[in-house]
Amino acid sequence: MGFEYDNFLDSLHYAVYYLPITAKLAFAALVIGIIIGLIVAIIRYYRIPVLSQLLSVLITVYQGIPTMVALLLYNLLFSFLIGGVVEGLGLNVEVRDVSNIVVGYIALSLFAITSISETFRGAILSIDKIQFEAGYSIGLTKLQTLYRIIIPQIIPTAIPGLINNMVGIIKGTSLVSAIGIMEVMNASIIPCSRTYSFVEGYVAAALVYWAFTLVLETIAKGIEKKTKGFRKQLG
Amino acid sequence: MIEVKNVRKSFGKNEVLKDVSLTVDKGDVVVILGPSGSGKTTLLRCMNFLEKADEGKLVIGEQEVDLHSASGKEKLQIRRKTAFVFQNYGLFQNKTAIQNITEGLITARKVPKTEAVKKAEEVLEWVGMSDKRDYYPAKLSGGQQQRIGIARAVALDPDVILFDEPTSALDPELVGEILDVIKNVAQRGITMVVVTHEMSFAQEVASKVVFMDGGVVVETGTPNQIFYHPKEERTKKFLERIIPQDQYYI
């Protein structure tokens, strides 16, 4: 098993070229995960009847399904349904031309929501109840108390967990290569199919994922420092 | 005038308040005394909907609300007429001293920002915390935090301030200075209901003392009546344990 430097550079070039697709998948999942995850965490914290129990069951069940399995299932479902959708909308496209990237978005977002909602729930539970009570006592509404008092306090607590979630999501994007979406993982092995030597492709992919994760982690840590200025201990 | 009528509250099988009523006149300083578990704090918390009573009514001025089934809007109206001082200060950790005070003015009462800041600076000065204006609570001592907690309540200009054991979490040597601040609040003519274990404070400042035990109001009267001429056996026993004998028989 030799390591051809030129092939490696070739792979790296392809991987970097498709990084925007991976980044889009990761960011979309992260943003959807943070927004819906926070709402889910709040619903569960307030124990809103029915909704809270339903979400709790859904999350427990969903967390037990590997993302890969979910992805393959959704992809099957997608290929079953897409024909009907195209026909129903009267679109003039070939079914095989419709990109299944939407399957990647859905699977990764659901994964993000389940994991991020648990991070936020832990952060809310760590807040002293008196912070809510003090908000109510000065005449703030529940919503005002949430976004003026509680959410600013849970962000710095949640960020280490969120970084962890984010890294998991970025790594998770490589799974969508299994349903044929062209992103960093798939792109990096394009040259390899010519040479039948895959080591260069895998190393290139690893390098790109690592660098991407590192950059985002650094940014997130910067945000963490900024948001926890009100705490006694820095660092 | 503030009236609390027939409040009942149970935590599971434990009946904490058994039909408690209370009247507070404008400018009154009502001190609620009683042993631990007598329901004093729960009563106070019910008055601000921090605890949901099983039964009972609250009248503040013209407005009467049901303590059990008040709507969100009614709760908000009552809370905007009252202020609460917590045992553990309850300052917003993510807001500076002055922001803690302006928050209720700007966000809840829609007071213009410049006016709110002016008011906040005034009360900060009054509790002697002007130099800590931009400090976060985590950087302040308990005594300093409670001064801001009191300043926050006073700045809201409420019909009544509810104090829930405001000195219980403090170092013994800080208790005196916080009690002085509260005395100052009383001298401003602000109506107050104070739950405390500080007997000398009750004697000195209260216009009315309420003695509670086992979820009922045992006795109500002026400090003089309660401390020196208690009618009920239970009150006498409680005071004997707390106030040294010689002082009691003066």
Side-chain angles (χ1 to χ4, degrees), chain A residues 131 133-134 138-139 148 232, chain B residues 45 80 91 94 103 109 138:
Chain A
Q131 295 292 321
E133 292 181 346
I138 62 163
R148 307 226 13 124
K232 215 174 206 165
Chain B
R45 288 171 61 82
R80 285 176 184 173
L91 294 188
N94 60 322
E103 185 64 30
R109 287 166 182 77

Side-chain angles (χ1 to χ4, degrees), chain B:
Chain B
M1 194 182 76
I2 295 149
E3 234 184 313
V4 185
K5 291 192 265 189
N6 310 100
V7 183
R8 285 174 192 279
K9 168 77 187 168
S10 302
F11 292 109
K13 279 185 182 156
N14 182 15
E15 206 178 359
V16 184
L17 294 174
K18 306 167 186 165
D19 197 18
V20 174
S21 298
L22 192 70
T23 310
V24 183
D25 289 315
K26 201 168 163 38
D28 253 358
V29 178
V30 175
V31 171
I32 306 178
L33 299 175
S36 301
S38 57
K40 333 177 272 293
T41 292
T42 307
L43 176 66
L44 210 65
R45 288 171 61 82
C46 283
M47 287 170 72
N48 214 17
F49 301 101
L50 295 178
E51 220 68 75
K52 190 177 185 178
D54 300 332
E55 249 179 72
K57 297 236 187 296
L58 174 70
V59 185
I60 292 190
E62 303 285 291
Q63 193 178 15
E64 176 171 311
V65 292
D66 191 296
L67 286 174
H68 177 72
S69 57
S71 66
K73 198 178 154 203
E74 283 174 326
K75 283 183 194 174
L76 214 56
Q77 284 169 343
I78 295 293
R79 281 170 174 161
R80 285 176 184 173
K81 287 181 190 171
T82 60
F84 203 95
V85 175
F86 294 88
Q87 183 177 352
N88 294 315
Y89 332 125
L91 294 188
F92 304 124
Q93 295 296 315
N94 60 322
K95 306 230 172 258
T96 60
I98 190 151
Q99 287 169 346
N100 260 280
I101 299 170
T102 55
E103 185 64 30
L105 292 167
I106 298 171
T107 311
R109 287 166 182 77
K110 311 284 173 230
V111 174
K113 197 176 171 207
T114 46
E115 206 177 301
V117 169
K118 207 177 133 214
K119 177 91 193 166
E121 279 168 346
E122 204 181 292
V123 287
L124 272 177
E125 166 97 55
W126 175 68
V127 293
M129 294 294 292
S130 292
D131 55 328
K132 299 283 189 278
R133 182 185 191 278
D134 296 316
Y135 279 55
Y136 285 106
K139 298 228 164 79
L140 300 172
S141 72
Q144 291 170 332
Q145 289 192 54
Q146 194 59 300
R147 279 167 189 268
I148 291 163
I150 295 167
R152 175 171 74 182
V154 172
L156 296 174
D157 198 18
D159 289 358
V160 60
I161 302 181
L162 309 169
F163 290 82
D164 179 19
E165 302 192 26
T167 58
S168 297
L170 294 171
D171 281 342
E173 56 179 337
L174 293 175
V175 170
E177 54 177 87
I178 295 302
L179 288 178
D180 285 341
V181 176
I182 301 172
K183 271 178 216 167
N184 263 318
V185 180
Q187 278 154 13
R188 282 189 155 201
I190 297 172
T191 313
M192 317 193 320
V193 180
V194 187
V195 169
T196 184
H197 292 290
E198 299 294 330
M199 295 299 148
S200 55
F201 172 81
Q203 286 191 30
E204 219 178 301
V205 184
S207 56
K208 186 165 153 189
V209 175
V210 176
F211 176 68
M212 279 181 75
D213 188 29
V216 293
V217 172
V218 176
E219 201 171 344
T220 307
T222 63
N224 195 30
Q225 279 167 351
I226 298 286
F227 286 107
Y228 302 113
H229 314 285
K231 289 192 202 90
E232 303 291 329
E233 206 47 44
R234 183 68 194 92
T235 318
K236 282 180 199 165
K237 274 209 173 125
F238 175 73
L239 292 170
E240 265 169 33
R241 249 178 262 152
I242 289 194
I243 300 175
Q245 297 286 307
D246 49 329
Q247 199 182 331
Y248 176 55
Y249 285 114
I250 286 171

